[in-house]
Every structure is written in structure tokens, then in C-alpha cells.
């Protein structure tokens, strides 16, 4: 999978300053809203944020190796929204782990496989220490 096809400049954020994961989610939801709007997909920032928060209550995002992959399925869209962010300082997610890189995906209702491909692609890329250093 080539992530470059799913990302635009507005969906890549570096050095987010955040107190907690909700701060991260809010900033990333805004970036995804902007990115999708540039592609003529209309969705409200609050819809993404609220869906992410509801999903987190049921199934919290785990951070592994400093990377977190919050995601949500939104029935009102038919395309993928993605935001990749680095954090100024790591933020606690769950399972006693912090994240310094966050990849948020907003997916159409029945497109789980795309989210899994994105996670696999990013994980493989960041497994290489040189790639990880470049991202951070």
C-alpha cells in the first residue's frame, strides 16, 4: 500500500503539543476534516472527534513501540481519511504506554481491511530505526 496516495500535506502534522490523547484526537480530527474537504468529502470535525471518543470508550487504542493507531468507521463517508502526527512529547494512551507517533484513520463503514493495511504499512516502515528517526 502506498500511503502517499492517502495523505496530503494537511494530513501530516509534526510536533503536536498536547496534554492528553483527547487533545491529540481533536487536532488530528481537524486535519482529517480539512484533508477530506479538499477532496470534496464533507464531514464535521466534531463527528470524527465524537466517533473516536465513543470508540475509545469501548475499545481503547493501544500504543506499542511509541506508536498508536486510533481509528473509527463512519457510515457517512465513502473514502479513507488519514492523519499522521508526531508529538512534541509522548502522550499516554492506554496499556501503560505512551505514543510519540499517532496514525488516525477514518474509514468507510465496511472497509476494515484498508485500516489493517495502513497499520501494517506504517508499522513495517517504522520498524526500521532510520525511518523512525527521520519521522521524529
Amino acid at each position: 500500500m502506498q500511503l502517499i496516495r492517502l495523505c496530503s500535506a494537511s494530513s501530516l502534522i509534526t510536533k503536536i503539543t498536547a496534554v492528553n490523547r483527547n487533545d491529540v484526537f481533536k487536532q488530528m480530527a481537524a486535519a482529517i476534516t480539512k484533508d477530506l474537504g479538499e477532496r470534496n468529502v464533507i464531514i464535521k470535525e466534531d463527528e470524527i472527534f465524537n466517533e473516536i471518543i465513543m470508540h475509545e470508550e469501548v475499545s481503547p487504542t493501544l500504543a506499542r513501540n511509541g506508536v498508536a493507531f486510533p481509528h473509527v468507521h463512519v457510515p457517512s463517508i465513502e473514502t479513507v481519511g488519514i492523519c499522521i502526527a508526531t508529538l512534541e512529547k509522548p502522550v499516554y494512551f492506554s496499556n501503560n504506554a505512551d505514543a510519540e507517533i499517532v496514525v488516525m484513520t477514518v474509514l468507510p463503514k465496511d472497509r476494515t481491511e484498508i485500516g489493517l493495511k495502513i497499520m501494517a504499512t506504517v508499522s513495517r516502515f517504522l520498524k526500521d530505526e532510520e525511518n523512525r528517526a527521520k519521522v521524529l
Side-chain angles (χ1 to χ4, degrees):
M1 166 170 275
Q2 293 184 346
L3 288 178
I4 197 72
R5 292 182 183 171
L6 299 174
C7 294
S8 71
S10 61
S11 64
L12 302 172
I13 310 172
T14 58
K15 303 296 182 188
I16 286 179
T17 301
V19 181
N20 57 42
R21 67 184 182 161
N22 285 1
D23 286 347
V24 175
F25 294 156
K26 192 73 170 165
Q27 292 178 59
M28 294 181 83
I32 290 174
T33 300
K34 181 178 180 187
D35 175 56
L36 289 174
E38 291 169 356
R39 295 187 275 152
N40 297 317
V41 177
I42 306 304
I43 186 167
K44 293 181 180 177
E45 178 183 327
D46 287 342
E47 182 179 357
I48 295 172
F49 179 75
N50 292 335
E51 290 288 336
I52 286 284
I53 295 302
M54 287 190 315
H55 186 271
E56 289 293 312
E57 290 175 5
V58 176
S59 180
T61 296
L62 301 178
R64 290 204 171 95
N65 300 320
V67 183
F69 292 94
H71 64 283
V72 68
H73 295 270
V74 178
S76 65
I77 64 169
E78 295 180 11
T79 189
V80 175
I82 182 171
C83 179
I84 301 173
T86 61
L87 309 183
E88 185 69 40
K89 294 180 181 176
V91 169
Y92 177 79
F93 268 73
S94 60
N95 68 311
N96 293 321
D98 293 340
E100 58 188 347
I101 300 171
V102 182
V103 181
M104 179 185 284
T105 53
V106 177
L107 306 162
K109 186 177 180 188
D110 297 319
R111 300 303 308 267
T112 302
E113 77 284 354
I114 293 174
L116 294 173
K117 286 179 183 177
I118 290 168
M119 284 192 288
T121 300
V122 172
S123 294
R124 275 193 305 273
F125 179 80
L126 292 174
K127 206 177 226 185
D128 180 297
E129 288 300 321
E130 191 174 311
N131 289 339
R132 186 183 188 87
K134 288 177 184 176
V135 169
L136 291 172

